[in-house]
Amino acid sequence: MATVKKRSTLVIWKDVIFAIFLREIKSKFNDKLGIAWSVISPVSFILLLSFIRGKMDGGHTHGIPTFFFMVYGMILVQFLTGMIETVSASIKKNKPLYAFRQVQPISSVIAIAGFEFLVKVFVILTIAVLCLFLKMETQMDDPIEVILIVVRVWLIATSLGLISALASCYVPELDKLRSLAMRPIFFISGIFFSFKISPENIGIT
């Protein structure tokens, strides 16, 4: 005689989040490059911009190597914008799954936010390995603070993405406004065009 195994609500919630996490991996990386492309794409973009910026300022930006300046800035900006975009679409993306009473919208948000965080961790590790092989001298005065900054950006982006996802359920047109608002972030973030290179009297009339 078959027996029914009862599970607690917390265990069911954990299994649902893990299932959505695996579903996200399969849906995003079903081509030949697979998961590797999620790491190769941002790393190659950072290397390209670092090369361009290095040619402009001689290899050093604000007292540190241009490569590390660009890596630090680009990772955080890509993390922020990417998280907001993916989390904002997470509720609508998994809408068919809500037919099952065990699946809740918050489970989709947590799974996708966790997936994006792990992807960015792999990007950072890949860049660290490249620096090791290229024998680039690195120095980090406060690594714990750097880790905390990445976690804070993740929490802020997840929160903004969740607010945007909930708002777009009632007003779908907000998705277009969100995409429009994300575009100038790269230019106003100070990564490529920092305030230090601006004229001193820029705010003087």
Side-chain angles (χ1 to χ4, degrees), residues 61-192:
T61 305
H62 306 325
I64 64 174
T66 301
F67 176 74
F68 295 111
F69 176 82
M70 296 295 293
V71 164
Y72 187 71
M74 283 299 303
I75 284 178
L76 293 180
V77 171
Q78 286 182 345
F79 196 22
L80 178 69
T81 56
M83 279 289 299
I84 293 176
E85 290 291 335
T86 53
V87 174
S88 297
S90 61
I91 293 179
K92 289 184 178 179
K93 183 178 182 180
N94 295 303
K95 193 174 181 179
L97 299 178
Y98 304 150
F100 302 95
R101 62 184 180 87
Q102 296 91 344
V103 182
Q104 303 294 329
I106 190 63
S107 301
S108 177
V109 172
I110 294 174
I112 292 179
F115 172 76
E116 292 294 329
F117 183 80
L118 289 179
V119 167
K120 198 56 63 178
V121 168
F122 278 110
V123 170
I124 295 172
L125 291 177
T126 301
I127 293 175
V129 171
L130 285 175
C131 293
L132 182 64
F133 277 107
L134 295 175
K135 296 181 179 180
M136 300 178 67
E137 185 178 353
T138 59
Q139 181 180 355
M140 191 177 298
D141 294 333
D142 195 349
I144 302 298
E145 181 63 24
V146 173
I147 295 173
L148 290 176
I149 289 173
V150 174
V151 173
R152 289 171 193 150
V153 172
W154 178 63
L155 292 174
I156 292 171
T158 303
S159 302
L160 293 175
L162 178 58
I163 294 172
S164 176
L166 294 173
S168 62
C169 290
Y170 298 96
V171 185
E173 290 77 13
L174 289 177
D175 287 335
K176 297 178 180 179
L177 295 178
R178 185 194 67 247
S179 299
L180 188 63
M182 291 291 102
R183 292 176 184 176
I185 287 182
F186 173 79
F187 298 100
I188 65 176
S189 62
I191 300 173
F192 209 81

Side-chain angles (χ1 to χ4, degrees), residues 13-43:
W13 195 33
K14 181 192 70 174
D15 292 341
V16 168
I17 292 174
F18 184 68
I20 297 175
F21 182 85
L22 294 179
R23 185 174 183 267
E24 184 70 13
I25 293 177
K26 292 179 180 179
S27 64
K28 269 198 170 184
F29 310 113
N30 53 2
D31 55 0
K32 293 182 179 180
L33 288 176
I35 299 178
W37 181 248
S38 64
V39 177
I40 294 173
S41 178
V43 169

